[in-house]
Amino acid sequence: LYPVLEKAGDRTLLISETALGTLADICEACSYDSVQCLINENSDYLVNGISLNLRQLAHQPHASQVLDTMLRHSDASLLPLVEDVIQDVLSALDQSYNNQAPTFLRVLHSVMTALVQWFGMPSAEEHQQRQTDKGQSGAPSQGQQEGTTTKQEVERFFLDYVSQKQIAEGDLPDVEVEEAGDVPPLAKPEPNNSDTEGEAPLPSHAQLARDVMERCIHLLSDGSLRVRLKVLDVLELCVTVLHPHGNHLLPMAHRVWPALVTRLISDDPLAVLRAFKVLCSLARRCGDFLRARFSKDVLPKLTSSLLSQAPASARAGPVYSHTLAFKLQLAVLQGLGSLCEKLDMGE
């Protein structure tokens, strides 16, 4: 099964399609209901092979393809079985990111794509979720804003807002020290947050997304454009998975911001385009948390870039629409309006 799954993850379409046909034949011959059942019921053997081969990646470069195929053809029930292998991938990346980063990033991209499919909420469902949150009053950021009016919830909403604003400005530890004596209520957010985290600890898939996002922060300034582009793709998926867990997403957004701004302002146009997509994704999920940073660090640069491109695009011929400059200009013009709206930049 291991070598067949390896071929199913091959980049040559003829090989991968034939291998998938072979998997279907194995299911039929061995009386499995589906490829998913075949993978899940034999996952312990497969995981063992993957983790052994990941340790000697130079000699076994295709171990990542097996994991990729497993993730693509299974469901969330596979996650507990492959969690240790993913941790192996992360620790191996830490030790050899200089020469093996592209291979490991391919694995992390597969992992995060699978997590988004299994746990990510489509935008149509987000609205429904907010409606149900109204009645539950469980989530401090959504439920309280919408319609619940008890004294404790209003108080918790404002305390939460204050703590998020402090995180956004990057001076949370200092503020805690300075104001601990002056304003007693500011001492409350920490117990509240730890209480909510105590009641509902971070699920394993969100913890994984957080660990992966941690690596993305360090790899965003990699010298290779190919690596930076892949990192930006993975980062966008991490943001989608962490979206329901604002207490963890906002500090990570705070940490990733300086590296992301560098990609947006001084990088290859291809990386700028991809970084702008990540920015739009972050804005959708972090809202006014990024408003001050965006208007100070990014908006002036985007505006001046559009103004400098305007004369060239005004007199450009039909070939211009195939250039990277055009695609970047179009992406910014299409995304800027909704971006400012999400960040509530009315002023």
Side-chain angles (χ1 to χ4, degrees):
L1 184 57
Y2 186 97
V4 175
L5 282 173
E6 189 179 295
K7 296 302 175 193
D10 198 283
R11 292 187 168 193
T12 307
L13 186 63
L14 183 60
I15 295 174
S16 61
E17 288 297 318
T18 311
L20 288 174
T22 307
L23 284 174
D25 292 343
I26 293 173
C27 288
E28 198 177 329
C30 302
S31 307
Y32 286 101
D33 295 337
S34 64
V35 173
Q36 186 178 315
C37 291
L38 174 69
I39 289 171
N40 284 11
E41 291 186 31
N42 295 283
S43 58
D44 46 351
Y45 301 107
L46 293 167
V47 163
N48 187 45
I50 293 168
S51 58
L52 285 172
N53 289 336
L54 277 174
R55 287 170 199 162
Q56 38 185 325
L57 212 76
H59 309 292
Q60 299 285 347
H62 304 301
S64 60
Q65 290 178 3
V66 183
L67 183 59
D68 184 23
T69 311
M70 286 174 73
L71 291 165
R72 274 192 289 120
H73 293 93
S74 193
D75 62 359
S77 61
L78 184 71
L79 183 60
L81 307 169
V82 297
E83 220 168 338
D84 289 343
V85 173
I86 297 167
Q87 289 299 339
D88 286 349
V89 170
L90 290 173
S91 56
L93 174 61
D94 291 341
Q95 289 160 20
S96 62
Y97 70 91
N98 283 334
N99 48 0
Q100 297 287 357
T103 308
F104 287 124
L105 280 170
R106 213 162 34 244
V107 181
L108 296 182
H109 191 269
S110 316
V111 171
M112 294 315 302
T113 305
L115 292 185
V116 168
Q117 284 171 353
W118 299 340
F119 303 102
M121 279 194 303
S123 55
E125 283 175 29
E126 278 181 24
H127 182 66
Q128 282 182 322
Q129 184 67 26
R130 284 202 191 99
Q131 297 303 317
T132 54
D133 282 349
K134 272 191 204 178
Q136 288 170 358
S137 74
S141 57
Q142 290 172 356
Q144 290 153 6
Q145 277 182 354
E146 295 289 333
T148 49
T149 51
T150 67
K151 179 186 162 189
Q152 289 84 356
E153 282 164 354
V154 171
E155 183 185 15
R156 205 182 326 152
F157 168 75
F158 281 108
L159 291 172
D160 194 42
Y161 175 79
V162 169
S163 66
Q164 283 182 11
K165 193 165 186 298
Q166 289 170 348
I167 295 170
E169 289 163 1
D171 61 355
L172 183 55
D174 301 333
V175 174
E176 277 175 0
V177 173
E178 286 170 17
E179 300 190 7
D182 302 342
V183 189
L186 278 179
K188 286 185 186 175
E190 277 194 298
N192 274 340
N193 288 346
S194 62
D195 285 348
T196 51
E197 283 174 30
E199 288 164 18
L202 198 61
S204 59
H205 67 274
Q207 183 63 54
L208 262 179
R210 194 177 159 196
D211 291 343
V212 172
M213 199 167 175
E214 194 95 38
R215 271 68 179 189
C216 289
I217 294 169
H218 302 300
L219 286 167
L220 263 179
S221 52
D222 192 274
S224 160
L225 174 63
R226 190 166 136 236
V227 169
R228 293 200 300 277
L229 292 174
K230 201 70 172 170
V231 169
L232 287 164
D233 284 342
V234 175
L235 189 60
E236 190 175 4
L237 295 168
C238 291
V239 171
T240 307
V241 175
L242 273 175
H243 172 220
H245 310 281
N247 285 350
H248 298 274
L249 177 59
L250 295 183
M252 292 306 287
H254 166 64
R255 290 184 53 201
V256 83
W257 184 254
L260 185 64
V261 169
T262 308
R263 302 284 70 78
L264 277 163
I265 287 173
S266 54
D267 206 336
D268 186 277
L270 210 53
V272 175
L273 188 57
R274 207 73 63 91
F276 187 72
K277 284 185 182 174
V278 176
L279 175 64
C280 293
S281 187
L282 264 178
R284 270 200 303 278
R285 288 161 175 88
C286 299
D288 59 359
F289 175 81
L290 294 176
R291 187 194 304 137
R293 294 157 186 252
F294 174 73
S295 56
K296 179 183 160 196
D297 299 337
V298 179
L299 190 57
K301 177 68 180 173
L302 288 180
T303 313
S304 65
S305 152
L306 286 172
L307 287 170
S308 65
Q309 274 184 297
S313 60
R315 57 174 185 272
V319 180
Y320 181 67
S321 62
H322 298 285
T323 63
L324 198 53
F326 168 83
K327 288 173 185 171
L328 183 56
Q329 193 179 8
L330 183 65
V332 172
L333 286 169
Q334 285 178 333
L336 207 52
S338 62
L339 190 61
C340 291
E341 200 178 10
K342 295 282 186 308
L343 298 176
D344 195 19
M345 294 183 66
E347 72 277 7

